[in-house]
Amino acid sequence: MSWHYAVGGQQKGPVTDDEFNQLVATGAVRADTLVWREGWAEWRTYSTVVGGAPAIPVDPTTAVCAVSGRLRPKSEMLEFEGRWVSTEHKEEFFQRLREGVSLRGEVRYAGFWIRVAAKIIDTIIVCVINFVVAAVLSAVLIGAAAGVGPESGAAVAMMLLVQVLIQIVGIALTLAYALYFTRKFDATPGKLALGLRLLRADGSKLSKGRIVGRYFSEWISSMTLLIGYIMVAFDKEEHRALHDRIADTRVIVHRP
């Protein structure tokens, strides 16, 4: 009996049992891959096939790694609460458990509209902060400019300095906002409010350098007529924006 499986939203197959087992062994079919064969009423994830009602003979000496989704000998794995994980993914497995991050077969990536909503919340918060700081900064510097006379060249230079400083401070505050919350909570307040987390592909936290890089990468997403953001809607597998691809990050739906 032949197998069908889905990759990137496209149906593949049919393949034989031997071919299918080879796809599992090489990682082409993972724990979260949708599979189907004749007689089934609906598609299933491969992890449920292995764990529940296997349709092919499953070698009892092997198991599917909960992190990589690959079929491996149990002699090279360890079992934890009914799940098997290969030794090379052991640290990643327990790190994800500590951080409450879903495992590979359970990851749900945040879609376009929920990310738009999170971005709107963050933008409002940042704009309010920047407005208050800019108002205070402007009052101080414009007051200083008035002291040298409105017609003098020094006053004009002071006004230009105000505009430049406001832009620099705005960028610094926005970057500090992203750095603080992402390092501490793996998400900015907008993402936290909607149950999202910003992590690496392996579920690890972002370094300070990667957060900074992602922040400036967002400028590229904006300068491409927002196409970099719109890419989220067309990436059916992981919903990555252009800046996610540049910084190698993922936005996931957090399940406590």
Side-chain angles (χ1 to χ4, degrees):
M1 189 177 293
S2 58
W3 285 88
H4 296 263
Y5 62 102
V7 176
Q10 295 184 345
Q11 180 179 325
K12 305 287 185 179
V15 296
T16 65
D17 285 352
D18 289 340
E19 290 171 331
F20 184 80
N21 282 326
Q22 183 61 33
L23 290 168
V24 172
T26 59
V29 172
R30 308 179 311 201
D32 57 346
T33 301
L34 290 173
V35 298
W36 179 87
R37 63 186 303 163
E38 186 179 349
W40 290 3
E42 58 185 15
W43 288 69
R44 310 175 187 175
T45 58
Y46 179 61
S47 61
T48 62
V49 174
V50 174
I56 59 174
V58 177
D59 186 347
T61 64
T62 64
V64 176
C65 175
V67 177
S68 69
R70 294 189 177 187
L71 196 65
R72 302 294 301 274
K74 289 183 178 178
S75 59
E76 301 175 4
M77 308 174 75
L78 60 89
E79 184 181 12
F80 180 78
E81 296 183 351
R83 288 176 172 165
W84 289 87
V85 58
S86 54
T87 52
E88 65 263 35
H89 292 106
K90 179 179 65 175
E91 292 185 7
E92 180 181 340
F93 176 81
F94 288 107
Q95 178 69 18
R96 293 188 182 193
L97 290 180
R98 286 193 295 270
E99 296 179 359
V101 179
S102 300
L103 297 173
R104 188 180 189 93
E106 304 169 338
V107 172
R108 180 184 167 197
Y109 298 100
F112 178 73
W113 290 112
I114 193 170
R115 290 187 61 170
V116 168
K119 189 66 176 179
I120 291 173
I121 294 172
D122 283 327
T123 300
I124 292 173
I125 294 173
V126 170
C127 284
V128 170
I129 295 172
N130 282 338
F131 176 80
V132 173
V133 173
V136 173
L137 189 61
S138 297
V140 172
L141 293 179
I142 291 175
V148 298
E151 304 297 330
S152 68
V156 174
M158 186 69 76
M159 294 299 294
L160 291 176
L161 178 62
V162 169
Q163 297 302 316
V164 172
L165 284 177
I166 287 175
Q167 294 297 320
I168 294 174
V169 170
I171 292 172
L173 286 173
T174 306
L175 181 55
Y177 175 89
L179 270 170
Y180 174 78
F181 286 105
T182 304
R183 284 295 295 170
K184 188 172 181 64
F185 303 107
D186 296 323
T188 52
K191 289 183 176 65
L192 286 171
L194 297 177
L196 308 181
R197 294 295 185 275
L198 178 62
L199 300 164
R200 294 291 307 282
D202 61 2
S204 60
K205 297 173 71 69
L206 272 62
S207 66
K208 293 179 180 178
R210 192 170 298 276
I211 295 170
V212 172
R214 187 178 188 274
Y215 170 76
F216 287 109
S217 296
E218 281 202 57
W219 290 18
I220 301 176
S221 292
S222 299
M223 290 186 292
T224 55
L225 300 177
L226 301 182
I227 292 175
Y229 289 103
I230 297 172
M231 286 173 61
V232 173
F234 295 94
D235 181 358
K236 300 303 182 182
E237 291 189 4
E238 297 181 326
H239 298 301
R240 285 185 293 169
L242 177 59
H243 45 277
D244 288 316
R245 293 179 179 275
I246 294 173
D248 188 26
T249 56
R250 307 293 188 279
V251 179
I252 67 168
V253 178
H254 180 65
R255 298 174 181 175

Short mmCIF file of all heavy atoms in Angstrom, two decimals, residues 165-206:
data_model
loop_
_atom_site.label_atom_id
_atom_site.label_comp_id
_atom_site.label_asym_id
_atom_site.label_seq_id
_atom_site.Cartn_x
_atom_site.Cartn_y
_atom_site.Cartn_z
N LEU A 165 18.61 64.97 16.99
CA LEU A 165 18.62 64.28 18.28
C LEU A 165 17.34 63.49 18.51
O LEU A 165 17.36 62.39 19.05
CB LEU A 165 18.85 65.28 19.41
CG LEU A 165 20.27 65.80 19.59
CD1 LEU A 165 20.33 66.84 20.71
CD2 LEU A 165 21.22 64.64 19.90
N ILE A 166 16.22 64.08 18.10
CA ILE A 166 14.94 63.38 18.27
C ILE A 166 14.94 62.07 17.48
O ILE A 166 14.47 61.02 17.96
CB ILE A 166 13.77 64.28 17.83
CG1 ILE A 166 13.54 65.38 18.88
CG2 ILE A 166 12.49 63.46 17.66
CD1 ILE A 166 12.48 66.39 18.48
N GLN A 167 15.49 62.09 16.25
CA GLN A 167 15.56 60.88 15.43
C GLN A 167 16.48 59.84 16.06
O GLN A 167 16.13 58.65 16.14
CB GLN A 167 16.06 61.23 14.03
CG GLN A 167 15.11 62.09 13.21
CD GLN A 167 13.79 61.39 12.95
OE1 GLN A 167 13.75 60.19 12.69
NE2 GLN A 167 12.69 62.12 13.03
N ILE A 168 17.64 60.28 16.53
CA ILE A 168 18.60 59.35 17.14
C ILE A 168 18.05 58.74 18.42
O ILE A 168 18.14 57.53 18.65
CB ILE A 168 19.93 60.07 17.43
CG1 ILE A 168 20.61 60.48 16.11
CG2 ILE A 168 20.86 59.18 18.25
CD1 ILE A 168 21.86 61.31 16.30
N VAL A 169 17.46 59.59 19.26
CA VAL A 169 16.87 59.10 20.52
C VAL A 169 15.73 58.14 20.23
O VAL A 169 15.56 57.12 20.92
CB VAL A 169 16.40 60.28 21.39
CG1 VAL A 169 15.59 59.77 22.58
CG2 VAL A 169 17.59 61.08 21.89
N GLY A 170 14.93 58.44 19.21
CA GLY A 170 13.82 57.55 18.85
C GLY A 170 14.31 56.17 18.46
O GLY A 170 13.74 55.15 18.88
N ILE A 171 15.36 56.11 17.65
CA ILE A 171 15.93 54.83 17.24
C ILE A 171 16.49 54.09 18.46
O ILE A 171 16.27 52.89 18.63
CB ILE A 171 17.03 55.03 16.18
CG1 ILE A 171 16.42 55.54 14.88
CG2 ILE A 171 17.80 53.73 15.94
CD1 ILE A 171 17.44 55.95 13.85
N ALA A 172 17.20 54.83 19.31
CA ALA A 172 17.81 54.22 20.50
C ALA A 172 16.75 53.65 21.44
O ALA A 172 16.90 52.54 21.97
CB ALA A 172 18.67 55.24 21.23
N LEU A 173 15.67 54.39 21.65
CA LEU A 173 14.60 53.92 22.54
C LEU A 173 13.90 52.69 21.98
O LEU A 173 13.59 51.74 22.70
CB LEU A 173 13.58 55.04 22.77
CG LEU A 173 14.02 56.19 23.69
CD1 LEU A 173 12.98 57.30 23.69
CD2 LEU A 173 14.24 55.67 25.11
N THR A 174 13.64 52.71 20.67
CA THR A 174 12.97 51.57 20.04
C THR A 174 13.84 50.32 20.11
O THR A 174 13.35 49.22 20.39
CB THR A 174 12.64 51.89 18.57
OG1 THR A 174 11.88 53.10 18.51
CG2 THR A 174 11.83 50.76 17.94
N LEU A 175 15.13 50.50 19.89
CA LEU A 175 16.05 49.36 19.97
C LEU A 175 16.17 48.86 21.40
O LEU A 175 16.18 47.64 21.64
CB LEU A 175 17.42 49.78 19.43
CG LEU A 175 18.51 48.71 19.41
CD1 LEU A 175 18.05 47.48 18.64
CD2 LEU A 175 19.79 49.27 18.79
N ALA A 176 16.24 49.77 22.36
CA ALA A 176 16.31 49.38 23.77
C ALA A 176 15.05 48.62 24.20
O ALA A 176 15.11 47.65 24.96
CB ALA A 176 16.50 50.61 24.65
N TYR A 177 13.92 49.05 23.68
CA TYR A 177 12.62 48.39 23.94
C TYR A 177 12.68 46.94 23.46
O TYR A 177 12.31 46.01 24.20
CB TYR A 177 11.56 49.19 23.21
CG TYR A 177 10.15 48.64 23.23
CD1 TYR A 177 9.27 48.99 24.25
CD2 TYR A 177 9.67 47.84 22.20
CE1 TYR A 177 7.96 48.53 24.24
CE2 TYR A 177 8.37 47.37 22.19
CZ TYR A 177 7.51 47.72 23.21
OH TYR A 177 6.22 47.27 23.20
N ALA A 178 13.15 46.74 22.23
CA ALA A 178 13.24 45.39 21.67
C ALA A 178 14.25 44.55 22.42
O ALA A 178 13.99 43.37 22.72
CB ALA A 178 13.60 45.47 20.19
N LEU A 179 15.40 45.14 22.75
CA LEU A 179 16.44 44.39 23.46
C LEU A 179 15.99 43.94 24.85
O LEU A 179 16.14 42.77 25.21
CB LEU A 179 17.69 45.27 23.60
CG LEU A 179 18.74 45.19 22.50
CD1 LEU A 179 19.77 46.29 22.67
CD2 LEU A 179 19.41 43.82 22.49
N TYR A 180 15.44 44.85 25.61
CA TYR A 180 15.08 44.53 26.99
C TYR A 180 14.01 43.42 27.05
O TYR A 180 14.19 42.41 27.74
CB TYR A 180 14.56 45.77 27.71
CG TYR A 180 14.03 45.47 29.10
CD1 TYR A 180 14.90 45.26 30.17
CD2 TYR A 180 12.65 45.35 29.33
CE1 TYR A 180 14.42 44.96 31.43
CE2 TYR A 180 12.17 45.05 30.59
CZ TYR A 180 13.04 44.85 31.64
OH TYR A 180 12.57 44.54 32.89
N PHE A 181 12.93 43.63 26.34
CA PHE A 181 11.82 42.68 26.45
C PHE A 181 12.13 41.34 25.77
O PHE A 181 11.74 40.28 26.29
CB PHE A 181 10.55 43.29 25.86
CG PHE A 181 9.93 44.34 26.74
CD1 PHE A 181 10.05 45.68 26.43
CD2 PHE A 181 9.25 43.99 27.90
CE1 PHE A 181 9.49 46.65 27.25
CE2 PHE A 181 8.69 44.95 28.73
CZ PHE A 181 8.81 46.29 28.40
N THR A 182 12.83 41.37 24.64
CA THR A 182 13.13 40.11 23.96
C THR A 182 14.13 39.28 24.75
O THR A 182 13.99 38.06 24.84
CB THR A 182 13.67 40.37 22.55
OG1 THR A 182 12.73 41.17 21.81
CG2 THR A 182 13.87 39.07 21.80
N ARG A 183 15.12 39.92 25.36
CA ARG A 183 16.08 39.17 26.17
C ARG A 183 15.44 38.62 27.44
O ARG A 183 15.74 37.51 27.85
CB ARG A 183 17.26 40.08 26.56
CG ARG A 183 18.24 40.33 25.44
CD ARG A 183 18.97 39.08 25.02
NE ARG A 183 19.83 38.56 26.08
CZ ARG A 183 20.42 37.37 26.03
NH1 ARG A 183 20.21 36.57 25.02
NH2 ARG A 183 21.21 36.97 27.01
N LYS A 184 14.55 39.39 28.04
CA LYS A 184 13.95 38.98 29.31
C LYS A 184 12.76 38.04 29.13
O LYS A 184 12.59 37.07 29.88
CB LYS A 184 13.52 40.22 30.10
CG LYS A 184 13.07 39.91 31.53
CD LYS A 184 12.84 41.18 32.31
CE LYS A 184 12.42 40.89 33.75
NZ LYS A 184 13.49 40.20 34.52
N PHE A 185 11.91 38.31 28.13
CA PHE A 185 10.65 37.56 27.98
C PHE A 185 10.53 36.82 26.64
O PHE A 185 9.50 36.20 26.38
CB PHE A 185 9.46 38.51 28.12
CG PHE A 185 9.43 39.27 29.41
CD1 PHE A 185 9.73 40.63 29.44
CD2 PHE A 185 9.10 38.65 30.61
CE1 PHE A 185 9.69 41.35 30.63
CE2 PHE A 185 9.06 39.35 31.80
CZ PHE A 185 9.36 40.71 31.81
N ASP A 186 11.53 36.90 25.78
CA ASP A 186 11.47 36.30 24.44
C ASP A 186 10.39 36.92 23.57
O ASP A 186 9.94 36.31 22.60
CB ASP A 186 11.24 34.78 24.51
CG ASP A 186 12.40 34.06 25.18
OD1 ASP A 186 13.54 34.47 24.96
OD2 ASP A 186 12.15 33.09 25.91
N ALA A 187 9.96 38.12 23.92
CA ALA A 187 8.92 38.78 23.13
C ALA A 187 8.75 40.21 23.61
O ALA A 187 8.97 40.51 24.79
CB ALA A 187 7.58 38.04 23.27
N THR A 188 8.36 41.09 22.70
CA THR A 188 8.01 42.46 23.07
C THR A 188 6.59 42.45 23.65
O THR A 188 5.86 41.46 23.50
CB THR A 188 8.05 43.36 21.82
OG1 THR A 188 7.26 42.75 20.79
CG2 THR A 188 9.47 43.54 21.34
N PRO A 189 6.15 43.52 24.33
CA PRO A 189 4.81 43.54 24.93
C PRO A 189 3.69 43.21 23.95
O PRO A 189 2.72 42.55 24.32
CB PRO A 189 4.70 44.97 25.46
CG PRO A 189 6.10 45.32 25.84
CD PRO A 189 6.95 44.70 24.77
N GLY A 190 3.81 43.67 22.70
CA GLY A 190 2.77 43.35 21.72
C GLY A 190 2.66 41.87 21.48
O GLY A 190 1.55 41.30 21.44
N LYS A 191 3.80 41.18 21.36
CA LYS A 191 3.78 39.73 21.17
C LYS A 191 3.33 39.02 22.44
O LYS A 191 2.58 38.03 22.38
CB LYS A 191 5.17 39.24 20.74
CG LYS A 191 5.57 39.66 19.32
CD LYS A 191 6.93 39.08 18.96
CE LYS A 191 7.31 39.39 17.52
NZ LYS A 191 7.49 40.83 17.28
N LEU A 192 3.79 39.51 23.59
CA LEU A 192 3.37 38.88 24.85
C LEU A 192 1.86 38.95 25.02
O LEU A 192 1.23 37.99 25.49
CB LEU A 192 4.06 39.59 26.03
CG LEU A 192 5.54 39.32 26.25
CD1 LEU A 192 6.11 40.25 27.31
CD2 LEU A 192 5.77 37.86 26.65
N ALA A 193 1.27 40.08 24.65
CA ALA A 193 -0.17 40.26 24.81
C ALA A 193 -0.97 39.25 23.99
O ALA A 193 -2.09 38.88 24.36
CB ALA A 193 -0.56 41.68 24.40
N LEU A 194 -0.38 38.80 22.88
CA LEU A 194 -1.09 37.87 22.00
C LEU A 194 -0.54 36.45 22.08
O LEU A 194 -0.87 35.60 21.24
CB LEU A 194 -1.01 38.39 20.56
CG LEU A 194 -1.67 39.75 20.33
CD1 LEU A 194 -1.48 40.22 18.90
CD2 LEU A 194 -3.16 39.68 20.67
N GLY A 195 0.29 36.20 23.08
CA GLY A 195 0.78 34.84 23.31
C GLY A 195 1.82 34.38 22.30
O GLY A 195 1.88 33.19 21.99
N LEU A 196 2.65 35.29 21.82
CA LEU A 196 3.68 34.94 20.84
C LEU A 196 5.06 34.99 21.48
O LEU A 196 5.27 35.67 22.49
CB LEU A 196 3.63 35.90 19.65
CG LEU A 196 2.27 36.08 18.96
CD1 LEU A 196 2.40 37.03 17.78
CD2 LEU A 196 1.70 34.75 18.53
N ARG A 197 5.99 34.26 20.89
CA ARG A 197 7.38 34.29 21.34
C ARG A 197 8.29 34.38 20.12
O ARG A 197 8.00 33.82 19.06
CB ARG A 197 7.72 33.02 22.14
CG ARG A 197 6.99 32.89 23.47
CD ARG A 197 7.38 33.97 24.45
NE ARG A 197 6.76 33.78 25.74
CZ ARG A 197 5.54 34.21 26.06
NH1 ARG A 197 4.81 34.86 25.17
NH2 ARG A 197 5.04 34.00 27.26
N LEU A 198 9.42 35.07 20.29
CA LEU A 198 10.42 35.24 19.24
C LEU A 198 11.66 34.44 19.62
O LEU A 198 12.32 34.75 20.61
CB LEU A 198 10.76 36.73 19.09
CG LEU A 198 11.84 37.10 18.07
CD1 LEU A 198 11.42 36.68 16.67
CD2 LEU A 198 12.12 38.60 18.12
N LEU A 199 11.96 33.40 18.83
CA LEU A 199 13.04 32.49 19.17
C LEU A 199 13.83 32.09 17.92
O LEU A 199 13.45 32.43 16.80
CB LEU A 199 12.47 31.23 19.85
CG LEU A 199 11.70 31.44 21.15
CD1 LEU A 199 10.89 30.21 21.48
CD2 LEU A 199 12.65 31.77 22.29
N ARG A 200 14.91 31.35 18.14
CA ARG A 200 15.66 30.77 17.03
C ARG A 200 14.92 29.54 16.51
O ARG A 200 13.99 29.04 17.12
CB ARG A 200 17.05 30.35 17.50
CG ARG A 200 17.96 31.49 17.94
CD ARG A 200 18.39 32.35 16.77
NE ARG A 200 18.98 31.55 15.69
CZ ARG A 200 20.21 31.06 15.68
NH1 ARG A 200 21.01 31.29 16.72
NH2 ARG A 200 20.67 30.37 14.66
N ALA A 201 15.39 29.02 15.40
CA ALA A 201 14.76 27.84 14.80
C ALA A 201 14.83 26.63 15.73
O ALA A 201 13.93 25.77 15.72
CB ALA A 201 15.42 27.51 13.47
N ASP A 202 15.89 26.55 16.56
CA ASP A 202 16.04 25.42 17.48
C ASP A 202 15.37 25.67 18.83
O ASP A 202 15.52 24.89 19.76
CB ASP A 202 17.52 25.09 17.68
CG ASP A 202 18.31 26.26 18.28
OD1 ASP A 202 17.71 27.32 18.57
OD2 ASP A 202 19.54 26.11 18.45
N GLY A 203 14.63 26.78 18.95
CA GLY A 203 13.93 27.08 20.19
C GLY A 203 14.75 27.84 21.21
O GLY A 203 14.27 28.12 22.31
N SER A 204 15.98 28.22 20.87
CA SER A 204 16.83 28.94 21.82
C SER A 204 16.54 30.44 21.80
O SER A 204 15.95 30.96 20.85
CB SER A 204 18.31 28.69 21.49
OG SER A 204 18.62 29.15 20.18
N LYS A 205 16.99 31.12 22.86
CA LYS A 205 16.78 32.56 22.98
C LYS A 205 17.66 33.32 21.99
O LYS A 205 18.69 32.83 21.56
CB LYS A 205 17.09 33.02 24.41
CG LYS A 205 16.19 32.42 25.47
CD LYS A 205 16.67 32.78 26.87
CE LYS A 205 16.46 34.25 27.19
NZ LYS A 205 15.05 34.60 27.33
N LEU A 206 17.25 34.54 21.68
CA LEU A 206 18.03 35.39 20.79
C LEU A 206 19.14 36.08 21.57
O LEU A 206 18.91 36.56 22.68
CB LEU A 206 17.14 36.44 20.13
CG LEU A 206 16.44 36.06 18.82
CD1 LEU A 206 15.48 34.89 19.03
CD2 LEU A 206 15.70 37.25 18.26
#
